[in-house]
Amino acid sequence: MKGLLKSAGRMFFPVLFFLSLLLHVRFLAIAALALGVGVWGWRQSGSGEAPMPVPATLQEAVDAACLDVPRSLPRPQRALRPTLVLPLDGDRELLVTQGIRRALEQDGGYRPVDKGKARELLDELFDLAGVPRQDVTDADTALGMAKAAGAEVVLFGQVERLELRDGQAAVSFSLRAFELGSEQPLLVGNFPAAPPAESSAAETPPAWGWMLGVLAVAVFWPLLTIPVMARVLRMESNAATLMTIVGVTAVPALVAWPLFFGTAVVAGRVIVFAVALLLVGLWSALVMSWVAARAEESV
């Protein structure tokens, strides 16, 4: 027994040494694996620099344009229909392509094929089809790729505008969608980031309309308030007279505002509006003076 304990004591430190050696080998394996993943990611990105962040305004415009894609597609009979979204021609950094995939994922009617699987298959699919990457323009090639990827629907198209100027983003793209076994497209359309601007005629009333309205209010309103002016003048109060002039001028201002501007404020019309209010105030004071003169004559 004593010899066994002595032998175990001699083996204690060698066993610890080998265990620590195994730990070091394990740490080295983990470090090598992490280094390999980092190098692979660096090669995949094409450079050692981190990608520049996309401006928020441009990203919002892309997302707004892509939200209409699943709404424009016919509703599938079953949800999560496998769909291959090919990179759009002219899509820098795949902003629009990824936006379409996110929109489809959120909608749920169509499910983009797994991103990792698509990334692995795309290069092979493009090589088999014999076309350059991001240059699919015919339905037969796109359908062949969809079949190889296990998808039932394929989307492809072209980015027409992807701009950011003076803080304003402009995004528009054309898109086509086909399903396997059918030559008729599911979707052919253009997707602007913002609705078309309304015409100026729809935003504001016609020029002759608000001009006539201003003339009517400015000329006839003080004349219609003559009884009120006569009553205020009999009070012989400067404060009441001033308040009457302000009130007679304020009512035309409230009435004429929609006649001038509608839903849009134009700088030129603001100036005309201010001049019109000045004339209304002078006209109201003139009418009040005329009422006062008539009152003195009657006395």
Side-chain angles (χ1 to χ4, degrees):
M1 184 67 180
K2 188 175 181 180
L4 181 62
L5 292 175
K6 189 175 180 180
S7 176
R10 286 198 302 266
M11 294 297 296
F12 178 75
F13 287 103
V15 168
L16 286 180
F17 172 77
F18 283 111
L19 287 177
S20 63
L21 185 62
L22 290 176
L23 288 176
H24 285 295
V25 171
R26 177 172 175 269
F27 290 145
L28 287 175
I30 293 174
L33 180 62
L35 179 62
V37 171
V39 171
W40 179 84
W42 178 81
R43 289 182 177 178
Q44 288 294 109
S45 64
S47 67
E49 298 179 358
M52 294 293 292
V54 179
T57 303
L58 183 60
Q59 187 64 64
E60 291 174 0
V62 170
D63 292 340
C66 294
L67 282 178
D68 290 334
V69 172
R71 302 170 188 167
S72 302
L73 287 166
R75 300 308 301 175
Q77 295 181 354
R78 58 185 180 86
L80 302 178
R81 193 174 187 190
T83 303
L84 176 65
V85 182
L86 293 175
L88 274 66
D89 185 24
D91 187 9
R92 296 192 295 272
E93 299 186 16
L94 300 182
L95 290 181
V96 178
T97 303
Q98 294 174 359
I100 294 173
R101 290 170 180 164
R102 286 194 300 270
L104 293 175
E105 289 175 352
Q106 295 173 5
D107 180 77
Y110 296 84
R111 176 182 59 82
V113 294
D114 180 68
K115 293 180 181 179
K117 179 181 178 182
R119 189 178 298 110
E120 295 173 3
L121 288 176
L122 274 177
D123 289 331
E124 181 180 353
L125 294 175
F126 278 101
D127 292 339
L128 290 175
V131 295
R133 190 177 179 85
Q134 295 186 11
D135 193 21
V136 176
T137 56
D138 65 283
D140 292 336
T141 302
L143 286 169
M145 292 184 174
K147 184 177 181 180
E152 299 177 4
V153 178
V154 60
L155 281 78
F156 60 98
Q158 182 179 12
V159 174
E160 298 167 354
R161 294 187 66 190
L162 188 61
E163 301 174 355
L164 184 63
R165 293 182 180 178
D166 300 328
Q168 298 295 324
V171 180
S172 63
F173 58 92
S174 60
L175 196 66
R176 289 194 288 167
F178 287 84
E179 61 180 342
L180 295 181
S182 175
E183 297 181 356
Q184 298 297 323
L186 288 177
L187 171 67
V188 177
N190 297 317
F191 294 88
E198 299 179 359
S199 62
S200 57
E203 293 178 353
T204 56
W208 60 266
W210 61 263
M211 285 293 290
L212 291 178
V214 169
L215 289 175
V217 172
V219 173
F220 294 108
W221 169 249
L223 297 177
L224 294 175
T225 58
I226 286 178
V228 176
M229 292 182 176
R231 194 169 195 179
V232 171
L233 289 173
R234 286 197 296 268
M235 297 171 58
E236 296 183 355
S237 171
N238 293 332
T241 302
L242 178 61
M243 291 300 296
T244 302
I245 296 177
V246 172
V248 172
T249 307
V251 171
L254 297 175
V255 175
W257 181 269
L259 295 175
F260 264 85
F261 305 109
T263 59
V265 176
V266 184
R269 292 194 177 185
V270 170
I271 297 174
V272 178
F273 183 73
V275 173
L277 288 187
L278 179 62
L279 294 177
V280 170
L282 295 176
W283 172 244
S284 301
L286 180 62
V287 172
M288 184 166 282
S289 299
W290 177 78
V291 173
R294 292 293 302 269
E296 291 179 358
E297 291 177 2
S298 62
V299 173

